[in-house]
Amino acid sequence: MDIYEPLQQVSMWGDSFKVEGGLNSIASPMLLVNTTTSMENKSEYIPHEPSEPSEVNQETTNKDVSKVLRRLAQNREAARKSRLRKKAYVQQLETSRLKLMQLELEIGRARKQGMCTDNALDTTFMGSPETINPGIVAFEIEYGNWVDENHRRNEELRNVFQANASEVQLGQVVQNVLNHYTDLFRLKAEAAKADVLYLISGVWKPSVERLFLWIGGARPSQLLNLIVPQLDPLTEQQLASIKKLHLSSQQAEDALSQGLEKLQQSLVQDMAVDPFSATNHGFQMAIAIRKFEALESFVSQADHLRRETLIYMSRILSTHQAARGLIALGEYFHRLRTLGSRWTSRPCDSVISPRITP
Amino acid sequence: MEKVMRLASEKGVVIFTKSSCCLCYAVNILFQELGIRPMVHEIDQDPEGRDMEKALLRLGCTAPVPAVFIGGKLMGSTNEIMSLHLSGSLTQLLKPYQSRS
C-alpha cells in the first residue's frame, strides 16, 4: 500500500463526515491532523538550493531519511486514528439505520393514509418510536429484499423457459424459485417469533394482497387456482392428482380455519370478563398472552401448507409445466403489487383538482 | 408409556390432545371431514398426563399434542398429518376406519 493512501482515505472520511453537524466534532480534529501532516509534507518538497554539493548532500540525505521516517510514523498514526473513528462511526450508523428505517416506513404509511383520511398515525404496528421491535424492522427490510429477489428469479425462469433450455437446466431454475419460497417461510417464522400479531395481520403485505389474506398469507388452494388454468394440456392422471391435491388443501385449510376460530373465541371469553367481578385480571391477561403464542403454531401450519402445496404440485407436473405455473404465479403477485401502488397513489379528492403527490 | 400404547390401540384412529390446544381441535376437525370419528384423549385431564406427554415425545412425536395414532402406530403431529393428507397418503391409511354413513 502506498504511504499516501491512508491520507487519501482519511480525507474521504472527512468528506462523508460533513453530512451531519453532530459528526463534524469527530471529524474536525482528524481533518486538522490531515492538514498539518499534508502541510508538513508539502513543505518537504519545496526545493532548496544546496550551498555546497558534497557536505550538504550528506546532511540533506540524513535529514531526508529522518523526515521520511517521521512522515511514515505520522501516516501510521493518522491511519490508526482513522480506523478507530471509522469503527465508532459504523457502530453508530447501525443503530441509527434501524431507527431511520422504522421512521421512514411509518412516515410512508402516514402519508398514504393521511392523503385520503384524517386517521392519526397508527404506531401500533411497530410500537412507539422509542420501542423498536428489531425483529420486525429486520423483517420489513428482508421482505423488501425477498420481493426484489423473487422478481429477479422469476425473470430468470421466464428467460430460461423462453430460450428452450434443456430440461435439466430448466429444472434447476424451477428448483431455484421453489427454494426461494421456502426462504420466505423461514423469514416469516422469525417474524412470528418477534411479533405474531404483526405477521398475522398482513400489514407487511401490499394492500391488495391483504384482501385475500388467510392466516398471514395466501390460501394454498388459491395458489393452485392461479397455476392450474395456465397448464393446458394436462394428462388425465395429472388432472386427477391436481383435483385431489386441491381438495386436500381445502380440507386442511378448513380445519385450520376452524381451529383458529376456536382460539379467537376463547380469547374473547378470556377478555370479556364481568367488569364488576373481583377476579385477577392479570391472570386473565397472562392466559391471553399464551394464546397469542399459540397463534404462532397456526401461522407455522399455514405456511407449511403453502410450502407443501407448491412442492406437491411441482411433483405432479412436468418440469416444463412447473416452470410455466411458477412464472404465472410470480406474474400474478407482481401485478397485484402494481395494482396496489396505483391504488395508493390515486387522487383522493377529485374536487380539489391538482393531484396531491407525496 | 404402556398407558399410551394401550390407549393408542383401543381404536383405529386415536388422538392425544390437550383441552386448551386449538391445533388439536383443528386436526380433529380434519379427521371428521374425512369421515373418521377418532378417539380423543385429553392428557391434561389425565392424572398421568405428564408421563404420557414424556412418553409421546420419546416415541418421536415432534410435538406432544396432537399425537395421532392410526392402527396403533404413531403417525406424528400436525405437520406430519398435514403432509400425509396433501400427498394423498392419509386417505389411504384411513380407508379401513372410515365410517359408512
Side-chain angles (χ1 to χ4, degrees):
Chain A
M1 195 198 276
D2 189 24
I3 50 167
Y4 296 111
E5 271 195 51
L7 275 180
Q8 283 178 335
Q9 282 182 344
V10 162
S11 53
M12 271 162 52
W13 275 114
D15 286 337
S16 55
F17 278 172
K18 281 168 192 160
V19 172
E20 277 191 13
L23 294 166
N24 278 341
S25 49
I26 309 170
S28 25
M30 192 155 69
L31 283 174
L32 277 175
V33 171
N34 274 357
T35 43
T36 41
T37 325
S38 52
M39 287 295 281
E40 280 186 41
N41 288 343
K42 283 188 184 131
S43 61
E44 310 296 346
Y45 286 110
I46 296 169
H48 49 277
E49 288 173 28
S51 43
E52 275 186 70
S54 52
E55 280 177 18
V56 179
N57 273 346
Q58 185 58 48
E59 272 180 35
T60 45
T61 320
N62 283 340
K63 253 200 253 171
D64 285 340
V65 166
S66 63
K67 277 173 188 168
V68 165
L69 288 174
R70 195 174 46 180
R71 200 188 314 134
L72 286 174
Q74 282 166 345
N75 282 358
R76 271 199 299 278
E77 185 56 32
R80 191 183 72 87
K81 284 188 182 159
S82 170
R83 281 192 294 275
L84 286 174
R85 297 207 202 286
K86 179 179 178 179
K87 197 175 171 191
Y89 179 60
V90 167
Q91 278 170 350
Q92 204 184 41
L93 266 183
E94 292 290 309
T95 22
S96 308
R97 189 168 153 258
L98 276 179
K99 193 146 191 181
L100 180 64
M101 296 275 187
Q102 180 202 346
L103 290 171
E104 275 180 339
L105 285 161
E106 283 185 22
I107 289 172
R109 272 203 207 105
R111 277 215 194 100
K112 285 175 190 169
Q113 288 178 347
M115 269 167 55
C116 306
T117 67
D118 283 334
N119 286 346
L121 172 61
D122 188 351
T123 54
T124 52
F125 302 142
M126 302 225 223
S128 60
E130 285 78 43
T131 59
I132 311 170
N133 187 333
I136 295 303
V137 176
F139 172 73
E140 292 246 348
I141 299 165
E142 282 167 343
Y143 180 66
N145 294 339
W146 184 89
V147 168
D148 293 335
E149 177 64 18
N150 186 253
H151 186 64
R152 198 194 64 77
R153 289 197 194 197
N154 281 318
E155 287 296 296
E156 187 187 6
L157 182 59
R158 185 198 291 267
N159 291 336
V160 175
F161 181 80
Q162 283 174 330
N164 284 317
S166 71
E167 181 152 338
V168 171
Q169 244 187 325
L170 191 61
Q172 276 173 352
V173 188
V174 163
Q175 198 55 47
N176 220 16
V177 172
L178 283 173
N179 290 343
H180 199 230
Y181 283 112
T182 306
D183 289 343
L184 175 62
F185 301 134
R186 205 176 330 118
L187 281 181
K188 286 170 75 180
E190 294 289 320
K193 277 195 212 114
D195 186 349
V196 66
L197 291 179
Y198 166 89
L199 187 74
I200 212 171
S201 73
V203 64
W204 48 279
K205 274 181 167 285
S207 51
V208 181
E209 266 188 65
R210 264 177 263 156
L211 266 181
F212 310 105
L213 200 68
W214 176 79
I215 315 187
R219 273 184 186 271
S221 53
Q222 183 63 26
L223 295 175
L224 288 176
N225 287 341
L226 289 166
I227 294 172
V228 172
Q230 309 287 327
L231 298 179
D232 299 317
L234 289 166
T235 67
E236 287 291 317
Q237 195 177 24
Q238 282 179 324
L239 278 169
S241 300
I242 289 183
K243 209 167 158 205
K244 262 196 236 155
L245 180 60
H246 192 260
L247 180 62
S248 313
S249 67
Q250 272 183 329
Q251 286 167 334
E253 282 165 35
D254 277 342
L256 283 184
S257 297
Q258 289 191 49
L260 188 59
E261 234 181 81
K262 183 153 193 276
L263 184 60
Q264 286 169 338
Q265 278 169 15
S266 78
L267 262 169
V268 168
Q269 277 167 4
D270 286 344
M271 290 290 103
V273 287
D274 177 2
F276 299 108
S277 81
T279 43
N280 183 354
H281 297 305
F283 181 67
Q284 301 285 65
M285 298 252 173
I287 294 182
I289 287 190
R290 276 243 294 280
K291 294 189 180 167
F292 292 154
E293 287 157 6
L295 274 178
E296 244 186 84
S297 46
F298 272 95
V299 175
S300 164
Q301 286 305 316
D303 278 346
H304 179 71
L305 270 188
R306 288 171 194 125
R307 182 171 175 267
E308 301 269 289
T309 305
L310 284 176
I311 290 175
Y312 284 123
M313 181 218 69
S314 71
R315 284 192 201 158
I316 294 170
L317 303 174
S318 69
T319 314
H320 204 254
Q321 288 166 328
R324 245 176 106 193
L326 287 173
I327 293 169
L329 191 68
E331 181 62 20
Y332 169 76
F333 283 114
H334 185 66
R335 285 206 207 121
L336 273 192
R337 208 167 284 276
T338 315
L339 181 63
S341 11
R342 290 226 187 125
W343 172 256
T344 44
S345 60
R346 79 199 186 286
C348 298
D349 198 343
S350 45
V351 175
I352 307 169
S353 36
R355 200 164 151 191
I356 306 163
T357 44
Chain B
M1 177 66 87
E2 300 86 36
K3 182 163 186 181
V4 164
M5 297 314 290
R6 182 175 44 85
L7 291 171
S9 321
E10 260 178 20
K11 216 185 164 193
V13 184
V14 178
I15 314 180
F16 292 93
T17 68
K18 282 187 188 165
S19 52
S20 55
C21 171
C22 292
L23 212 50
C24 302
Y25 178 77
V27 168
N28 198 356
I29 293 283
L30 180 63
F31 278 113
Q32 288 182 24
E33 266 184 52
L34 301 177
I36 302 284
R37 299 202 134 227
M39 170 151 287
V40 176
H41 290 291
E42 292 181 337
I43 62 174
D44 57 335
Q45 306 292 323
D46 193 305
E48 293 171 71
R50 278 265 170 84
D51 294 327
M52 292 170 80
E53 190 171 331
K54 283 191 203 146
L56 287 167
L57 287 169
R58 243 180 295 135
L59 281 170
C61 206
T62 45
V65 290
V68 178
F69 287 78
I70 301 180
K73 226 174 100 188
L74 176 65
M75 292 290 120
S77 191
T78 331
N79 255 7
E80 289 75 37
I81 294 300
M82 292 296 176
S83 296
L84 279 172
H85 189 45
L86 285 182
S87 68
S89 317
L90 189 63
T91 343
Q92 286 296 109
L93 288 165
L94 292 173
K95 270 220 169 91
Y97 310 107
Q98 267 164 338
S99 56
R100 302 140 206 273
S101 48

mmCIF file of all heavy atoms in Angstrom, chain A residues 130-150:
data_model
loop_
_atom_site.group_PDB
_atom_site.id
_atom_site.type_symbol
_atom_site.label_atom_id
_atom_site.label_comp_id
_atom_site.label_asym_id
_atom_site.label_seq_id
_atom_site.Cartn_x
_atom_site.Cartn_y
_atom_site.Cartn_z
ATOM 1 N N GLU A 130 -39.885 4.920 20.437
ATOM 2 C CA GLU A 130 -38.921 4.582 21.477
ATOM 3 C C GLU A 130 -38.766 3.071 21.607
ATOM 4 O O GLU A 130 -37.717 2.584 22.002
ATOM 5 C CB GLU A 130 -39.349 5.146 22.843
ATOM 6 C CG GLU A 130 -39.143 6.649 22.986
ATOM 7 C CD GLU A 130 -40.216 7.447 22.286
ATOM 8 O OE1 GLU A 130 -41.387 7.061 22.426
ATOM 9 O OE2 GLU A 130 -39.888 8.409 21.598
ATOM 10 N N THR A 131 -39.856 2.310 21.305
ATOM 11 C CA THR A 131 -39.743 0.866 21.456
ATOM 12 C C THR A 131 -39.724 0.217 20.077
ATOM 13 O O THR A 131 -40.748 -0.095 19.505
ATOM 14 C CB THR A 131 -40.926 0.296 22.255
ATOM 15 O OG1 THR A 131 -42.132 0.636 21.563
ATOM 16 C CG2 THR A 131 -40.965 0.872 23.645
ATOM 17 N N ILE A 132 -38.530 0.047 19.544
ATOM 18 C CA ILE A 132 -38.391 -0.606 18.245
ATOM 19 C C ILE A 132 -38.419 -2.107 18.477
ATOM 20 O O ILE A 132 -37.781 -2.594 19.407
ATOM 21 C CB ILE A 132 -37.032 -0.260 17.601
ATOM 22 C CG1 ILE A 132 -36.784 1.236 17.639
ATOM 23 C CG2 ILE A 132 -36.959 -0.784 16.181
ATOM 24 C CD1 ILE A 132 -35.375 1.601 17.235
ATOM 25 N N ASN A 133 -39.144 -2.830 17.636
ATOM 26 C CA ASN A 133 -39.012 -4.275 17.647
ATOM 27 C C ASN A 133 -38.031 -4.619 16.540
ATOM 28 O O ASN A 133 -38.396 -4.641 15.375
ATOM 29 C CB ASN A 133 -40.385 -4.924 17.407
ATOM 30 C CG ASN A 133 -40.337 -6.427 17.567
ATOM 31 O OD1 ASN A 133 -39.288 -7.053 17.360
ATOM 32 N ND2 ASN A 133 -41.455 -7.026 17.918
ATOM 33 N N PRO A 134 -36.764 -4.854 16.888
ATOM 34 C CA PRO A 134 -35.745 -5.051 15.859
ATOM 35 C C PRO A 134 -36.063 -6.224 14.945
ATOM 36 O O PRO A 134 -35.747 -6.193 13.761
ATOM 37 C CB PRO A 134 -34.458 -5.288 16.652
ATOM 38 C CG PRO A 134 -34.876 -5.578 18.031
ATOM 39 C CD PRO A 134 -36.217 -5.003 18.250
ATOM 40 N N GLY A 135 -36.723 -7.254 15.510
ATOM 41 C CA GLY A 135 -37.090 -8.409 14.685
ATOM 42 C C GLY A 135 -38.033 -8.001 13.567
ATOM 43 O O GLY A 135 -37.932 -8.498 12.443
ATOM 44 N N ILE A 136 -38.945 -7.091 13.857
ATOM 45 C CA ILE A 136 -39.931 -6.678 12.861
ATOM 46 C C ILE A 136 -39.298 -5.720 11.855
ATOM 47 O O ILE A 136 -39.550 -5.814 10.655
ATOM 48 C CB ILE A 136 -41.154 -6.030 13.549
ATOM 49 C CG1 ILE A 136 -41.881 -7.066 14.393
ATOM 50 C CG2 ILE A 136 -42.085 -5.427 12.523
ATOM 51 C CD1 ILE A 136 -42.332 -8.298 13.638
ATOM 52 N N VAL A 137 -38.473 -4.805 12.343
ATOM 53 C CA VAL A 137 -37.789 -3.884 11.424
ATOM 54 C C VAL A 137 -36.935 -4.700 10.459
ATOM 55 O O VAL A 137 -36.952 -4.478 9.246
ATOM 56 C CB VAL A 137 -36.926 -2.879 12.201
ATOM 57 C CG1 VAL A 137 -36.159 -1.996 11.236
ATOM 58 C CG2 VAL A 137 -37.788 -2.020 13.108
ATOM 59 N N ALA A 138 -36.206 -5.655 11.012
ATOM 60 C CA ALA A 138 -35.368 -6.516 10.169
ATOM 61 C C ALA A 138 -36.224 -7.268 9.157
ATOM 62 O O ALA A 138 -35.860 -7.375 7.988
ATOM 63 C CB ALA A 138 -34.593 -7.498 11.039
ATOM 64 N N PHE A 139 -37.380 -7.746 9.586
ATOM 65 C CA PHE A 139 -38.251 -8.496 8.674
ATOM 66 C C PHE A 139 -38.720 -7.618 7.528
ATOM 67 O O PHE A 139 -38.734 -8.041 6.377
ATOM 68 C CB PHE A 139 -39.455 -9.059 9.424
ATOM 69 C CG PHE A 139 -40.486 -9.672 8.518
ATOM 70 C CD1 PHE A 139 -40.251 -10.892 7.908
ATOM 71 C CD2 PHE A 139 -41.676 -9.024 8.247
ATOM 72 C CE1 PHE A 139 -41.179 -11.456 7.057
ATOM 73 C CE2 PHE A 139 -42.613 -9.574 7.387
ATOM 74 C CZ PHE A 139 -42.369 -10.799 6.793
ATOM 75 N N GLU A 140 -39.124 -6.386 7.846
ATOM 76 C CA GLU A 140 -39.609 -5.492 6.786
ATOM 77 C C GLU A 140 -38.539 -5.277 5.731
ATOM 78 O O GLU A 140 -38.810 -5.293 4.525
ATOM 79 C CB GLU A 140 -40.032 -4.142 7.387
ATOM 80 C CG GLU A 140 -41.256 -4.209 8.268
ATOM 81 C CD GLU A 140 -42.447 -3.456 7.697
ATOM 82 O OE1 GLU A 140 -42.262 -2.702 6.737
ATOM 83 O OE2 GLU A 140 -43.556 -3.634 8.226
ATOM 84 N N ILE A 141 -37.304 -5.092 6.195
ATOM 85 C CA ILE A 141 -36.203 -4.887 5.250
ATOM 86 C C ILE A 141 -35.964 -6.164 4.444
ATOM 87 O O ILE A 141 -35.863 -6.137 3.210
ATOM 88 C CB ILE A 141 -34.912 -4.482 6.002
ATOM 89 C CG1 ILE A 141 -35.123 -3.169 6.746
ATOM 90 C CG2 ILE A 141 -33.749 -4.372 5.035
ATOM 91 C CD1 ILE A 141 -34.063 -2.872 7.784
ATOM 92 N N GLU A 142 -35.916 -7.291 5.151
ATOM 93 C CA GLU A 142 -35.631 -8.560 4.473
ATOM 94 C C GLU A 142 -36.748 -8.944 3.520
ATOM 95 O O GLU A 142 -36.499 -9.514 2.455
ATOM 96 C CB GLU A 142 -35.418 -9.667 5.512
ATOM 97 C CG GLU A 142 -34.044 -9.600 6.133
ATOM 98 C CD GLU A 142 -33.911 -10.476 7.361
ATOM 99 O OE1 GLU A 142 -34.948 -10.892 7.927
ATOM 100 O OE2 GLU A 142 -32.760 -10.727 7.757
ATOM 101 N N TYR A 143 -37.977 -8.627 3.880
ATOM 102 C CA TYR A 143 -39.096 -8.942 2.990
ATOM 103 C C TYR A 143 -38.991 -8.119 1.709
ATOM 104 O O TYR A 143 -39.233 -8.631 0.614
ATOM 105 C CB TYR A 143 -40.442 -8.691 3.670
ATOM 106 C CG TYR A 143 -41.620 -9.003 2.768
ATOM 107 C CD1 TYR A 143 -41.871 -10.302 2.347
ATOM 108 C CD2 TYR A 143 -42.463 -7.986 2.315
ATOM 109 C CE1 TYR A 143 -42.927 -10.592 1.499
ATOM 110 C CE2 TYR A 143 -43.530 -8.281 1.479
ATOM 111 C CZ TYR A 143 -43.756 -9.580 1.070
ATOM 112 O OH TYR A 143 -44.801 -9.857 0.237
ATOM 113 N N GLY A 144 -38.630 -6.836 1.855
ATOM 114 C CA GLY A 144 -38.419 -5.995 0.681
ATOM 115 C C GLY A 144 -37.373 -6.614 -0.245
ATOM 116 O O GLY A 144 -37.555 -6.693 -1.459
ATOM 117 N N ASN A 145 -36.276 -7.072 0.351
ATOM 118 C CA ASN A 145 -35.222 -7.726 -0.441
ATOM 119 C C ASN A 145 -35.734 -9.003 -1.085
ATOM 120 O O ASN A 145 -35.404 -9.307 -2.229
ATOM 121 C CB ASN A 145 -34.017 -8.078 0.453
ATOM 122 C CG ASN A 145 -33.337 -6.836 0.974
ATOM 123 O OD1 ASN A 145 -33.479 -5.754 0.403
ATOM 124 N ND2 ASN A 145 -32.601 -6.981 2.056
ATOM 125 N N TRP A 146 -36.558 -9.744 -0.323
ATOM 126 C CA TRP A 146 -37.084 -11.003 -0.849
ATOM 127 C C TRP A 146 -37.930 -10.746 -2.087
ATOM 128 O O TRP A 146 -37.835 -11.455 -3.088
ATOM 129 C CB TRP A 146 -37.917 -11.722 0.222
ATOM 130 C CG TRP A 146 -38.381 -13.055 -0.260
ATOM 131 C CD1 TRP A 146 -37.735 -14.252 -0.144
ATOM 132 C CD2 TRP A 146 -39.586 -13.326 -0.987
ATOM 133 N NE1 TRP A 146 -38.463 -15.254 -0.760
ATOM 134 C CE2 TRP A 146 -39.604 -14.718 -1.288
ATOM 135 C CE3 TRP A 146 -40.651 -12.538 -1.426
ATOM 136 C CZ2 TRP A 146 -40.641 -15.322 -1.983
ATOM 137 C CZ3 TRP A 146 -41.689 -13.146 -2.134
ATOM 138 C CH2 TRP A 146 -41.670 -14.526 -2.393
ATOM 139 N N VAL A 147 -38.778 -9.718 -2.032
ATOM 140 C CA VAL A 147 -39.656 -9.404 -3.164
ATOM 141 C C VAL A 147 -38.823 -9.098 -4.406
ATOM 142 O O VAL A 147 -39.107 -9.600 -5.498
ATOM 143 C CB VAL A 147 -40.580 -8.213 -2.821
ATOM 144 C CG1 VAL A 147 -41.282 -7.704 -4.058
ATOM 145 C CG2 VAL A 147 -41.596 -8.624 -1.776
ATOM 146 N N ASP A 148 -37.769 -8.296 -4.219
ATOM 147 C CA ASP A 148 -36.908 -7.960 -5.366
ATOM 148 C C ASP A 148 -36.252 -9.213 -5.930
ATOM 149 O O ASP A 148 -36.199 -9.422 -7.143
ATOM 150 C CB ASP A 148 -35.824 -6.959 -4.941
ATOM 151 C CG ASP A 148 -36.426 -5.613 -4.567
ATOM 152 O OD1 ASP A 148 -37.533 -5.300 -5.061
ATOM 153 O OD2 ASP A 148 -35.786 -4.879 -3.773
ATOM 154 N N GLU A 149 -35.727 -10.042 -5.037
ATOM 155 C CA GLU A 149 -35.046 -11.262 -5.476
ATOM 156 C C GLU A 149 -36.027 -12.212 -6.152
ATOM 157 O O GLU A 149 -35.690 -12.862 -7.141
ATOM 158 C CB GLU A 149 -34.381 -11.930 -4.268
ATOM 159 C CG GLU A 149 -33.698 -13.260 -4.547
ATOM 160 C CD GLU A 149 -32.520 -13.162 -5.500
ATOM 161 O OE1 GLU A 149 -32.001 -12.040 -5.697
ATOM 162 O OE2 GLU A 149 -32.131 -14.195 -6.066
ATOM 163 N N ASN A 150 -37.258 -12.287 -5.624
ATOM 164 C CA ASN A 150 -38.285 -13.148 -6.216
ATOM 165 C C ASN A 150 -38.581 -12.714 -7.639
ATOM 166 O O ASN A 150 -38.701 -13.551 -8.551
ATOM 167 C CB ASN A 150 -39.544 -13.098 -5.358
ATOM 168 C CG ASN A 150 -40.608 -14.076 -5.840
ATOM 169 O OD1 ASN A 150 -41.612 -13.674 -6.417
ATOM 170 N ND2 ASN A 150 -40.391 -15.349 -5.632
#
